[in-house]
Amino acid sequence: MTWNKQITVIVVCLLSTLSSNLLVSSSSIFSSSASSNNKNNIRLQQNTNTPTNTITTTSKNNGFCTTFKTIELPVVTINYRSTNTTLTIRMTTSYQGYIGFGLSNSGTMEGTEAIIGIPGDVSKYTLGSYFAKLVGDTERQATLRNTSFVQDEDGSVLEFTKLLKDISSGGGVANDRYNIDGFGLNKFIWAVGNDNRLDYHAAFGSFPLELDPYDCEDDGVEIIPDRIQNYKLLFALHGIFAILAFGIFMPLAITASRARNLLDFEFRKKKAWYVLHTSLNSLAYGLTCVLVLLVMVAYSKKGKDHFNGSKHEIVGLVTFLLMTVQVVAGVLRPDPYLTPPPPPPGSSSTSSLPSEKVVHNEPPPQLPTNTNATADDVSYSDSLSGEMMKIENEARMAKEKGIELIETDDVTSIGDTEEKTSSTQEQQPPKVRLVRTIWRRSHVVMGISTFGCGIFQMHSGVTLYSTLFQSGSKTYIGLLWGLLGFVFLSVTVTIVHSKMKKI
């Protein structure tokens, strides 16, 4: 019996221990299940606008994803995460310039607001076509938190946290255009500067982004970049056409005019120098029209106005107007001399008069003075009188026809009028009309002004291009002036050679 009691006690103890462990395990299971249900209930209460297919993963804080998602763009990397009330952005670029980020339903910067970071400051700015104005409302600025901007030799980094619902100056919720949809689709804009001056962009763009604070899967973000690099070809062609127009064609046109005696032969019923001069100027003007159109298309695609008051744009407009006036004036060039009026109908021109000479080698006979003349003498006198009458009749007829009668010691010539007139015209050329003189001087002055403006445009344009696209400014400017130096030297040598040959 003793052994039976002992065995019974041992079995009871084992069963007791086993049942205790089972109770503890079941209690843990039920407790874990209840905790999970409570957590899901809290999440559903917080995310009333969340789609039903929300994916839950790890790395969460109060149900929100704490890991950053990544958007890779050519010149900037954007990391972001959000909650139901805030959006956190981190932007990194290799450029040592300002960084901007904003909300824009249209994808353009005009009339929107952006957060811009520069060394020592991260603030909200109101954007226009060519300006960024600091938002002065401190309550509106207060929606930015945890701001920082770091810039070193490796580039620039902007980071900030912004409230999804902006605050108006009265303390309430701001206009919807400043509010970010934390559970829907938004369109954001971004920009990176060449430096910390808030003017030209090195790159900019826009992209749509759907926010979901509970989605932690970084499965890639569909973006539509609109980068300024897309217009690099347009700006490059703009500069190339300007160099062709003002650096090559226009100097050659000037050379054709100033060294015209080297091309003083007929070509297509006109002087060769004139045909070459007008053709090269026409090519330069055509290229100018094309390059202006290219840059206007580029700015239109960027959503900006072309003319904003910069020196390059103002001088460019003046240059284009001067070239237009030059072309119109060339077409309306006045004649240098007055055109002689046509002869009246039925009259004969002096050009049709005979040019032969009527020569009388014998002196006119003289009547005898002897009063005692015989009959033979009288008949001889009558014959002499007939000869004189004949000569007088010829002189009278020549005078009526406009032929001058020239008497010398031994010869009388008829028909020298044209030769004397042509000789006089060669010695004394006709006077040039005043209107032609004024036109010629104005044409020269406007041509020099246009050419000077073109040189300024080429230099400033290369500088702007290098600034916009982080290219080698000194290299491009050196190549430009090397080309211009060669062209100027060639033009000078040609003109001097033509002057020496004329002498």
Side-chain angles (χ1 to χ4, degrees):
M1 291 294 296
T2 303
W3 287 103
N4 291 335
K5 289 181 179 180
Q6 291 179 352
I7 292 172
T8 301
V9 171
I10 291 172
V11 170
V12 171
C13 290
L14 290 174
L15 292 173
S16 167
T17 302
L18 181 61
S19 61
S20 173
N21 290 333
L22 289 174
L23 289 174
V24 171
S25 298
S26 61
S27 175
S28 298
I29 292 173
F30 285 118
S31 176
S32 177
S33 176
S35 176
S36 178
N37 290 335
N38 290 335
K39 185 175 182 180
N40 289 334
N41 291 334
I42 293 173
R43 176 185 167 187
L44 291 174
Q45 291 175 1
Q46 290 177 336
N47 186 13
T48 55
N49 297 324
T50 304
T52 55
N53 58 348
T54 301
I55 301 174
T56 58
T57 61
T58 58
S59 302
K60 292 186 176 182
N61 183 16
N62 295 327
F64 304 122
C65 182
T66 59
T67 58
F68 281 90
K69 293 184 179 181
T70 302
I71 301 174
E72 291 287 350
L73 297 174
V75 297
V76 66
T77 300
I78 301 176
N79 304 108
Y80 73 96
R81 66 184 180 186
S82 63
T83 68
N84 61 335
T85 57
T86 62
L87 173 65
T88 300
I89 297 292
R90 180 191 298 141
M91 302 177 67
T92 306
T93 180
S94 59
Y95 282 72
Q96 295 179 347
Y98 69 84
I99 300 177
F101 185 89
L103 177 70
S104 174
N105 293 328
S106 63
T108 59
M109 59 184 288
E110 287 79 9
T112 62
E113 283 189 356
I115 296 93
I116 300 178
I118 56 176
D121 181 65
V122 177
S123 301
K124 285 184 180 179
Y125 287 82
T126 300
L127 304 181
S129 296
Y130 285 92
F131 68 87
K133 182 179 179 181
L134 182 68
V135 175
D137 192 342
T138 56
E139 292 184 355
R140 304 256 337 266
Q141 294 285 0
T143 58
L144 292 178
R145 302 172 182 176
N146 303 322
T147 61
S148 68
F149 185 83
V150 178
Q151 191 173 90
D152 53 26
E153 64 275 6
D154 295 328
S156 306
V157 179
L158 168 67
E159 188 168 0
F160 64 88
T161 298
K162 182 187 180 301
L163 295 181
L164 299 180
K165 302 297 182 181
D166 216 12
I167 299 175
S168 65
S169 57
V173 178
N175 193 300
D176 288 339
R177 66 190 179 119
Y178 300 134
N179 295 330
I180 301 173
D181 188 353
F183 298 94
L185 186 65
N186 302 272
K187 196 166 191 178
F188 296 103
I189 57 175
W190 59 272
V192 174
N194 296 290
D195 49 37
N196 295 315
R197 295 174 299 175
L198 303 182
D199 45 22
Y200 289 107
H201 307 312
F204 77 102
S206 64
F207 60 92
L209 179 62
E210 185 171 3
L211 296 178
D212 183 357
Y214 299 108
D215 184 4
C216 291
E217 287 192 1
D218 191 1
D219 52 358
V221 180
E222 182 182 358
I223 60 172
I224 304 175
D226 183 19
R227 299 174 289 110
I228 198 172
Q229 279 82 353
N230 290 341
Y231 316 129
K232 186 175 182 178
L233 178 60
L234 295 178
F235 284 111
L237 291 176
H238 175 81
I240 291 172
F241 288 169
I243 292 173
L244 288 175
F246 299 105
I248 296 179
F249 291 152
M250 190 172 289
L252 291 178
I254 295 173
T255 305
S257 177
R258 302 303 297 174
R260 63 183 64 183
N261 60 311
L262 298 178
L263 301 168
D264 195 20
F265 55 87
E266 294 293 328
F267 180 77
R268 295 182 179 178
K269 299 181 180 181
K270 294 182 180 180
K271 293 295 184 180
W273 73 265
Y274 178 77
V275 175
L276 186 60
H277 177 75
T278 54
S279 299
L280 289 172
N281 275 331
S282 299
L283 281 174
Y285 182 70
L287 285 175
T288 302
C289 293
V290 173
L291 67 90
V292 170
L293 180 63
L294 286 174
V295 77
M296 292 182 68
V297 169
Y299 273 86
S300 176
K301 288 182 176 294
K302 290 172 59 178
K304 293 186 176 183
D305 297 329
H306 179 206
F307 298 104
N308 69 330
S310 68
K311 290 182 180 179
H312 184 77
E313 293 169 353
I314 292 175
V315 176
L317 177 61
V318 172
T319 305
F320 182 71
L321 293 178
L322 284 174
M323 292 192 72
T324 303
V325 172
Q326 283 286 80
V327 171
V328 175
V331 174
L332 302 178
R333 183 182 64 157
D335 293 327
Y337 311 112
L338 287 174
T339 304
S347 64
S348 60
S349 61
T350 58
S351 61
S352 63
L353 294 178
S355 60
E356 67 271 7
K357 297 181 180 180
V358 180
V359 180
H360 299 274
N361 294 323
E362 297 179 357
Q366 302 293 329
L367 290 175
T369 58
N370 185 4
T371 58
N372 299 319
T374 63
D376 294 333
D377 293 332
V378 171
S379 62
Y380 176 72
S381 175
D382 292 337
S383 65
L384 289 178
S385 298
E387 288 292 332
M388 291 184 64
M389 292 179 62
K390 183 178 178 181
I391 294 173
E392 288 178 357
N393 289 333
E394 289 180 355
R396 180 172 54 79
M397 293 175 62
K399 186 176 181 180
E400 290 177 355
K401 292 181 179 182
I403 302 176
E404 184 180 0
L405 181 63
I406 303 172
E407 293 186 3
T408 63
D409 293 337
D410 58 349
V411 65
T412 300
S413 301
I414 300 175
D416 289 346
T417 304
E418 292 182 359
E419 293 180 3
K420 291 179 64 179
T421 303
S422 62
S423 176
T424 304
Q425 289 178 349
E426 290 178 359
Q427 296 176 0
Q428 296 180 358
K431 188 177 180 180
V432 179
R433 299 169 61 196
L434 177 62
V435 64
R436 177 58 179 261
T437 303
I438 295 175
W439 176 91
R440 180 175 58 82
R441 293 178 179 176
S442 302
H443 186 71
V444 171
V445 171
M446 285 194 297
I448 295 174
S449 301
T450 304
F451 186 54
C453 290
I455 294 175
F456 174 83
Q457 286 296 92
M458 287 186 288
H459 181 85
S460 61
V462 169
T463 303
L464 284 175
Y465 183 86
S466 301
T467 301
L468 282 173
F469 301 106
Q470 296 287 296
S471 303
S473 176
K474 294 183 179 180
T475 302
Y476 288 154
I477 292 177
L479 290 174
L480 171 66
W481 282 104
L483 173 64
L484 293 179
F486 173 77
V487 172
F488 294 162
L489 180 62
S490 302
V491 168
T492 303
V493 170
T494 305
I495 294 176
V496 170
H497 172 68
S498 68
K499 301 301 181 184
M500 294 178 64
K501 184 176 180 180
K502 186 177 181 181
I503 295 174

